[in-house]
């Protein structure tokens, strides 16, 4: 079993839909959870950063962490074609990221 | 503020050769991390340099090495290239050592090994 699991997709949704992206993990030592967006031929861009369990909202994006279930989610409201990208979850044991682990990424297409 | 730059953007090499990739961090950033991204393994941490010292290292063989210069620019070297080294190599910079919340990635160098 991989340390971080993520459905690779592709996931296609119509413009305006609510998108739910998810990751599960096995290592209970992870405390820091990140979501990155990666456009084609570009490096990943940090979208959301959360510590421990709970929710964090930033504009159309909401990140949720459920440490008891070892499950994290990223919700995108009112999705736009510009949201079409690969979304990577990542997690670390501490803020200095010595054991960064990334999910394989989910490819999202938002259709106009 | 200029972003993280990586050169070259694309590279084709043959097995057995060696390659050097370059990364220039955002001005003022002292930490540079290197990652390998492949379709099968995803994004994997290679190593991190902070103020010219290697601070952290991932699980890669010794053929992968790096260094950082006094101006924070970093180079990564891969010796005796193998077909499996074909990947996108990304570097990321941040103020603090491997700071998860302020890490900025470059566009990557696409290495193809034939």
């Amino acid at each position: 079993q991989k340390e971080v699991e993520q459905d690779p997709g592709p996931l296609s949704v119509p413009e305006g839909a609510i998108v739910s992206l998810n990751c599960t993990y096995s290592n209970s030592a992870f405390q820091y959870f990140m979501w990155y967006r990666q456009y084609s031929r570009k490096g990943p861009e940090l979208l959301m950063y959360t510590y421990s369990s709970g929710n964090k909202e930033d504009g159309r994006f909401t990140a949720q962490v459920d440490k008891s279930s070892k499950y994290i989610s990223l919700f995108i409201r009112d999705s736009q074609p510009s949201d079409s990208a690969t979304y990577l979850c990542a997690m670390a044991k501490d803020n200095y990221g010595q054991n960064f682990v990334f999910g394989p990424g989910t490819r999202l297409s938002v259709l106009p | 503020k200029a972003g993280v730059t990586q050169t070259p953007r694309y590279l084709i090499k043959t097995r057995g050769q060696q390659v050097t990739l370059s990364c220039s961090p955002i001005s003022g950033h002292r930490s540079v991390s290197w990652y390998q991204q492949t379709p099968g393994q995803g994004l994997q941490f290679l190593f991190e340099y902070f103020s010219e010292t290697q601070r952290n290292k991932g699980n890669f063989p010794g053929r992968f090495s790096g260094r950082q210069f006094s101006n924070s620019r970093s180079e990564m070297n891969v010796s005796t290239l193998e077909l499996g080294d074909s990947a996108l190599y990304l570097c990321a910079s941040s103020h603090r050592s491997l700071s998860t919340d302020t890490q900025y990635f470059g566009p990557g160098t696409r290495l193809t090994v034939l």
Side-chain angles (χ1 to χ4, degrees), chain B residues 4-88:
Chain B
V4 179
T5 57
Q6 291 187 247
T7 56
R9 292 294 310 278
Y10 301 92
L11 206 49
I12 299 176
K13 292 284 188 180
T14 56
R15 277 181 301 174
Q17 287 188 309
Q18 77 166 23
V19 67
T20 299
L21 312 181
S22 180
C23 172
S24 292
I26 291 171
S27 177
H29 285 190
R30 294 161 65 191
S31 168
V32 173
S33 303
W34 288 91
Y35 296 84
Q36 182 195 66
Q37 188 174 34
T38 60
Q41 298 297 319
L43 200 63
Q44 294 181 285
F45 172 72
L46 279 155
F47 36 64
E48 184 235 0
Y49 284 86
F50 184 84
S51 294
E52 302 178 64
T53 302
Q54 187 179 88
R55 283 280 185 94
N56 297 285
K57 193 176 191 305
N59 220 16
F60 278 80
R63 298 186 298 108
F64 292 83
S65 63
R67 59 177 175 167
Q68 187 178 33
F69 302 95
S70 57
N71 62 357
S72 292
R73 189 178 71 85
S74 177
E75 287 182 347
M76 189 190 88
N77 185 273
V78 189
S79 62
T80 320
L81 284 166
E82 300 176 1
L83 294 179
D85 297 333
S86 294
L88 180 67

Side-chain angles (χ1 to χ4, degrees), chain A residues 22-75:
Chain A
N22 310 294
C23 284
T24 58
Y25 63 96
S26 57
N27 191 337
S28 57
F30 289 137
Q31 299 272 14
Y32 296 86
F33 304 91
M34 286 75 67
W35 284 95
Y36 289 84
R37 177 176 61 195
Q38 187 174 20
Y39 291 115
S40 181
R41 295 187 177 84
K42 300 276 190 180
E45 169 196 9
L46 181 64
L47 273 180
M48 300 289 282
Y49 167 88
T50 52
Y51 169 72
S52 196
S53 286
N55 293 359
K56 185 173 184 178
E57 189 174 318
D58 185 0
R60 296 184 296 112
F61 298 91
T62 299
Q64 280 186 354
V65 175
D66 182 350
K67 289 190 70 183
S68 62
S69 302
K70 298 191 182 71
Y71 188 88
I72 69 171
S73 301
L74 177 71
F75 297 96

